[in-house]
Amino acid sequence: MTHTKPLVLVDASSYLYRAFYAMPPLTNSQGLPTGAVYGVVNMVRKLLAEQEPAHIAMVFDAKGRTFRDDLYEQYKAHRPRMPDDLSVQIAPLHAIIHAMGLPLLLVDGVEADDVIGTLTCQATELGMSVQIYTGDKDLAQLVNAQVTLINTMNNSVLDPQGVIDKFGIPAERIIDYLALVGDSSDNIPGVPKVGPSTAVKWLKQYGTLDSIIEHAGEVGGKVGENLRAALAQLPIARALLTVKCDVPLDVTPLDLRPRLPDVETLRELYKKLEFKAWLAQTARKPAAPGAVVATETLAVETVTVTVAVYETIVTLTQLDAWLTGLTQVDLICFDIKTTSLDYMQAQIAGIAFALPTAPEGVSAAYIPLAHDCENTPQQLERALVLERLRPLLEDAQRTKLGHDIKFACHVLANHGIRLAGARFDTMLESYLLDSTATRHDLDSLALKYLDGRASSLAQIAGKGVRQLSFHQIAIDLASAHAAEQAALILRLHNVLWPQLSALENLQRLFTHMEMPLAGVLARIERNGVGVDRAMLHRQSAELAARMDELEQQAHVLAGQPFNLGSPLQIQEILYDKLGLPVLQKTPKGQPSTAESVLQELALDYPLPKLILEHRGLSKLKSTYTDSLPEQINPATARVHTCYHQAVTATGRLSSSNPNLQNIPIRSAAGRRIRQAFVAAPGY
């Protein structure tokens, strides 16, 4: 029997996790997280509107152990438990899917992949074609002439040729390929130090995993030793990675017909989750489940949040299409992701662009160029992409928009590109409109002006000492975040610029002073400032000697040794032992040793005066004479600070890394440190 429409199978658990990390952390007015529910349901609504499937199933992972846990005790053992903000969204998502009239499948003891695999095999035997909506590479093993994989996160489609283009091998060898390289996300070990290129080379040479195992003795070098050491675990890895296609199911592909939506239940769910745009649409009577109209806006409380369409650019065809689009717009909005936050060292990890689409819509794309993490898919060559982008970026007649455009100037300069036409910066737009605001980062501005949080970088990169650099983040997660950031910049500009341009004085200040100043500061920062390293070392030694003298004098006055850097010991000496008057107390009721208190005591007592001088010299030594030589850039032999335009409420600049504006000028020691800043010969 021939079926004209394909069976649509949605790997819903995969999309649930992706939506959770890609979407802004939306909540309703009761604090219930809703972002993941919105992301998945929005994808499903668009799928229904575009495909109008005759047969469809939403397949989720069931709770509890599976046969793979029994096969290998360490399977997925390193995965953290599901975040609470995600787990509470599963029940409402299931309820919405049921109310939409869509078949929902959870089967104990197996994973969603196995249910999808079983339905796929059954459907192909019935003569049906199958579309699997997933971001899971493991399911590429199911691809054949009747089966394609669709990833809505990057708009990619994998048919048999697409699998070869992506992995370098046909779909029937995917299991062998994955067994060799392993799968870190599922804690499945492969052959140590064997990556995609080696796995593909072996499979092309020997044909199958069994043949590779049979000829393992022929593989030389360290990689051959690793292969032979891993022989015992390769069959287990293959079994874990093989999608089970004979799961007993209560339904067949032909049973998976969508029903008419339960409109009243949908209304209650949308009302509870405060999906007001969708709630309004339920007042209309839909013709059929597949006829539900996809929307690009979500009303949260009383504010409409525009949802962008994101794309990951990994082919030259995609790149050329976006280049064509960028040449046809009046404003090029971009955002650069880097390997470092040090503007002199940072290299480009990827570039995101955003374009306006239909009214209030945004299309955004991310071009990964230097991501370096396990199982990283093929990326376009960075040098090639930058050369394609150079004419646009260096064209002064093409207006550019960014957020902290000065940083972008530096990073592009590190790759030999001189940015021109930079006329808008949402960070500076926000600063001029409200200079007293404490933060002008995209997350804060999205919350303030767009009434929705941006996706947190910490969610995909971590925090603290274990935080990943952007190029170390998996491309699918990085792409969703980067594209969203570019879309936010464009949307913020569309909100901020009309407000700014309505105020003639502020518009003039922005256009004629702040934006040109950004370029001037970039040149100043890049030039850097020369410092006399030897002079600073001498000054450090002199400061250390003077601090020793002061310490000895203080010990004599105190009648005992004590640590001049310890507020507690200073408190005990001044107030308990010497009985100096208590002029001020801390919030905990202890006598204060704050600088203002010591300055007042120093008018009448010698020890506080010595402590103050010691503190001042210690700060100069640690902040300047010791640290400045360490901050000299080895490539330029100069110090490169960062001047901030959008920090102070008064409009003055501030500097950091290092702060060059707080070197004392009233003290002799401070003036001497200033002498260590020297001009180059002839200047």
Side-chain angles (χ1 to χ4, degrees):
M1 183 184 299
T2 301
H3 298 267
T4 57
K5 284 196 172 185
L7 167 65
V8 172
L9 300 174
V10 178
D11 183 3
S13 288
S14 168
Y15 277 103
L16 178 65
Y17 270 93
R18 288 179 168 223
F20 177 71
Y21 288 110
M23 289 293 296
L26 301 174
T27 59
N28 66 2
S29 58
Q30 304 303 311
L32 177 68
T34 60
V37 177
Y38 173 76
V40 175
V41 175
N42 190 58
M43 184 275 288
V44 174
R45 287 164 59 89
K46 289 183 178 180
L47 187 159
L48 294 175
E50 293 169 359
Q51 302 297 331
E52 297 186 5
H55 300 88
I56 183 173
M58 301 287 295
V59 188
F60 285 86
D61 287 322
K63 288 184 177 180
R65 292 172 63 87
T66 71
F67 74 93
R68 291 183 177 86
D69 296 297
D70 298 329
L71 185 62
Y72 181 56
E73 193 62 34
Q74 295 302 309
Y75 181 64
K76 295 186 178 180
H78 69 307
R79 283 197 181 184
R81 61 184 295 272
M82 181 181 289
D84 292 339
D85 284 357
L86 176 57
S87 62
V88 298
Q89 298 186 64
I90 293 177
L93 175 60
H94 287 181
I96 289 178
I97 290 170
H98 279 301
M100 292 176 75
L102 302 178
L104 187 154
L105 301 179
L106 298 96
V107 180
D108 292 332
V110 296
E111 298 180 14
D113 288 4
D114 304 308
V115 178
I116 291 172
T118 299
L119 289 170
T120 297
C121 291
Q122 293 177 355
T124 55
E125 290 176 2
L126 293 170
M128 303 174 73
S129 60
V130 181
Q131 292 180 347
I132 303 173
Y133 285 76
T134 184
D136 189 348
K137 63 182 181 302
D138 295 0
L139 290 175
Q141 63 189 267
L142 300 176
V143 171
N144 57 40
Q146 292 173 255
V147 181
T148 56
L149 263 55
I150 299 172
N151 186 346
T152 60
M153 290 291 183
N154 57 19
N155 295 322
S156 66
V157 177
L158 285 186
D159 57 12
Q161 185 58 47
V163 173
I164 295 173
D165 294 341
K166 181 178 177 67
F167 295 100
I169 51 169
E172 55 267 25
R173 294 276 75 84
I174 286 292
I175 300 172
D176 295 351
Y177 166 87
L178 293 174
L180 290 168
V181 301
D183 189 336
S184 60
S185 64
D186 288 342
N187 202 35
I188 300 175
V191 179
K193 305 298 182 182
V194 169
S197 59
T198 302
V200 170
K201 182 181 75 173
W202 286 351
L203 287 168
K204 287 183 176 179
Q205 181 176 354
Y206 297 108
T208 66
L209 179 63
D210 288 332
S211 182
I212 292 171
I213 293 173
E214 183 181 342
H215 294 85
E218 301 174 7
V219 182
K222 181 63 177 177
V223 72
E225 296 177 13
N226 292 340
L227 171 61
R228 289 183 286 277
L231 289 179
Q233 68 189 26
L234 285 174
I236 297 175
R238 177 166 55 187
L240 292 170
L241 290 159
T242 300
V243 173
K244 189 175 176 65
C245 292
D246 57 356
V247 177
L249 299 176
D250 296 331
V251 294
T252 71
L254 296 178
D255 298 325
L256 301 175
R257 291 185 175 276
R259 307 179 312 277
L260 284 173
D262 181 344
V263 177
E264 288 306 314
T265 301
L266 278 177
R267 284 184 59 80
E268 289 301 316
L269 290 166
Y270 290 162
K271 183 177 180 180
K272 178 182 178 181
L273 298 174
E274 298 174 7
F275 294 164
K276 294 188 177 180
W278 294 346
L279 177 62
Q281 291 178 6
T282 59
R284 313 172 195 139
K285 184 177 180 180
V292 177
V293 179
T295 180
E296 292 197 355
T297 59
L298 162 64
V300 182
E301 298 181 1
T302 60
V303 182
T304 297
V305 179
T306 302
V307 177
V309 178
Y310 301 147
E311 179 180 357
T312 304
I313 297 177
V314 292
T315 68
L316 287 176
T317 301
Q318 289 175 291
L319 177 63
D320 289 340
W322 266 85
L323 284 173
T324 300
L326 291 171
T327 59
Q328 295 173 351
V329 295
D330 297 328
L331 181 68
I332 296 176
C333 175
F334 73 103
D335 190 37
I336 296 177
K337 299 304 178 184
T338 63
T339 59
S340 167
L341 296 180
D342 180 346
Y343 64 78
M344 291 296 292
Q345 305 292 333
Q347 298 292 296
I348 295 176
I351 304 179
F353 290 95
L355 293 172
T357 55
E360 298 186 357
V362 177
S363 178
Y366 178 63
I367 315 173
L369 297 174
H371 282 259
D372 181 18
C373 53
E374 290 191 44
N375 300 322
T376 300
Q378 187 68 35
Q379 303 166 72
L380 291 174
E381 183 183 354
R382 182 165 61 188
L384 172 65
V385 172
L386 292 181
E387 282 306 309
R388 295 278 189 99
L389 292 173
R390 181 189 295 275
L392 281 175
L393 296 173
E394 293 188 340
D395 187 347
Q397 302 306 310
R398 296 189 180 277
T399 300
K400 315 301 188 309
L401 161 68
H403 187 86
D404 191 3
I405 208 85
K406 177 162 66 69
F407 181 76
C409 288
H410 280 301
V411 179
L412 288 170
N414 292 343
H415 293 272
I417 295 176
R418 183 179 180 276
L419 181 66
R423 296 186 179 90
F424 296 106
D425 186 328
T426 46
M427 181 181 73
L428 297 180
E429 290 173 0
S430 169
Y431 175 65
L432 283 189
L433 284 170
D434 186 5
S435 66
T436 61
T438 56
R439 299 178 67 88
H440 299 279
D441 59 282
L442 278 176
D443 192 5
S444 299
L445 297 185
L447 186 63
K448 180 176 180 179
Y449 292 103
L450 303 176
D451 291 277
R453 289 187 181 275
S455 61
S456 169
L457 180 61
Q459 289 180 323
I460 59 175
K463 296 181 179 179
V465 295
R466 295 187 177 181
Q467 182 173 355
L468 300 176
S469 296
F470 204 84
H471 70 291
Q472 297 170 321
I473 301 171
I475 285 180
D476 56 348
L477 298 177
S479 180
H481 177 79
E484 181 200 35
Q485 297 267 294
L488 279 176
I489 293 171
L490 182 55
R491 292 174 54 211
L492 277 168
H493 174 70
N494 291 338
V495 171
L496 298 177
W497 182 245
Q499 297 181 37
L500 192 62
S501 58
L503 303 169
E504 183 179 347
N505 288 342
L506 282 188
Q507 180 183 355
R508 186 165 57 249
L509 180 63
F510 178 87
T511 303
H512 297 294
M513 183 173 290
E514 294 291 356
M515 284 307 299
L517 177 60
V520 172
L521 292 177
R523 293 196 298 276
I524 293 175
E525 290 172 348
R526 200 157 196 83
N527 287 339
V529 58
V531 295
D532 189 326
R533 188 194 300 264
M535 182 185 293
L536 289 170
H537 285 320
R538 290 195 302 271
Q539 290 179 6
S540 272
E542 293 166 3
L543 288 173
R546 176 56 182 161
M547 288 167 62
D548 286 340
E549 292 177 9
L550 292 171
E551 189 173 38
Q552 296 305 316
Q553 294 175 28
H555 292 170
V556 171
L557 290 174
Q560 70 176 70
F562 70 100
N563 182 356
L564 273 69
S566 169
L568 180 60
Q569 293 187 34
I570 292 174
Q571 179 192 112
E572 292 172 350
I573 293 294
L574 294 183
Y575 302 112
D576 297 342
K577 183 173 183 178
L578 299 182
L580 271 58
V582 177
L583 304 180
Q584 186 177 323
K585 290 188 176 182
T586 67
K588 293 185 178 181
Q590 298 297 314
S592 175
T593 60
E595 186 165 346
S596 59
V597 174
L598 295 183
Q599 286 174 343
E600 191 168 347
L601 289 173
L603 298 174
D604 299 309
Y605 304 97
L607 183 53
K609 184 176 181 180
L610 288 179
I611 294 172
L612 281 173
E613 184 179 353
H614 187 276
R615 278 187 183 179
L617 296 181
S618 175
K619 183 176 181 180
L620 287 177
K621 184 174 184 296
S622 62
T623 306
Y624 298 109
T625 61
D626 285 351
S627 68
L628 278 175
E630 296 176 355
Q631 293 177 286
I632 296 174
N633 185 291
T636 65
R638 296 166 75 83
V639 171
H640 300 269
T641 187
C642 181
Y643 290 105
H644 304 285
Q645 285 177 267
V647 171
T648 68
T650 61
R652 71 172 177 85
L653 296 174
S654 67
S655 76
S656 65
N657 300 320
N659 183 346
L660 300 182
Q661 296 176 259
N662 287 347
I663 305 174
I665 197 169
R666 292 189 177 92
S667 68
R671 289 193 294 272
R672 290 195 65 213
I673 291 174
R674 288 170 177 258
Q675 292 172 4
F677 290 84
V678 294
Y683 288 79

